Structures are given as structure tokens and as C-alpha cells.
Amino acid sequence: MKKEDTVELISAEGLEFVIDKEAAMVSQTIHNMLTSLGGFTETDHREVTFLEISTTILEKICQYIY
């Protein structure tokens, strides 16, 4: 899988989950963060940090997305 085809989701504790971009786009929230106009960091780096979501919860979110 190429880096362009992935997205990094980062938990509040800093743990990174690298998932398929197509799978991540299932979430409307993540989709909006990655496709919004205006040169946001998330769009440019394909990286979304969730400061309020713990590693355990983010792991479950990733499982749900797949």
C-alpha cells in the first residue's frame, strides 16, 4: 500500500493508527477533515489528531471503519 493511499489517525496519547484512506472516508467527520479547502494540516499531511479520543477508543473506531 502506498503512503498516498493511507491516513494516520492519532490518539490523545500520541499512538498512530495507519489505515486505508478509502476506509477512513467512511467516516463523514474524517472525510470532511481530509477534503476541506483552505490548506489545513490534515488535508496536506493525511494525518488527523484526536486530542479528546483515547487510544482504546480510537482503536475501536478503526475496527468499526473496517
Side-chain angles (χ1 to χ4, degrees), residues 41-53:
T41 303
E42 292 88 358
T43 305
D44 296 339
H45 298 281
R46 292 178 318 279
E47 185 177 287
V48 180
T49 302
F50 296 98
L51 299 176
E52 309 249 342
I53 299 179

Side-chain angles (χ1 to χ4, degrees), residues 14-58:
L15 190 67
E16 299 175 1
F17 294 89
V18 179
I19 66 171
D20 183 62
K21 184 176 180 181
E22 186 176 323
M25 293 301 200
V26 168
S27 164
Q28 190 63 45
T29 300
I30 296 172
H31 180 272
N32 290 342
M33 294 172 97
L34 295 173
T35 59
S36 60
L37 300 175
F40 294 106
T41 303
E42 292 88 358
T43 305
D44 296 339
H45 298 281
R46 292 178 318 279
E47 185 177 287
V48 180
T49 302
F50 296 98
L51 299 176
E52 309 249 342
I53 299 179
S54 69
T55 299
T56 305
I57 300 300
L58 189 55

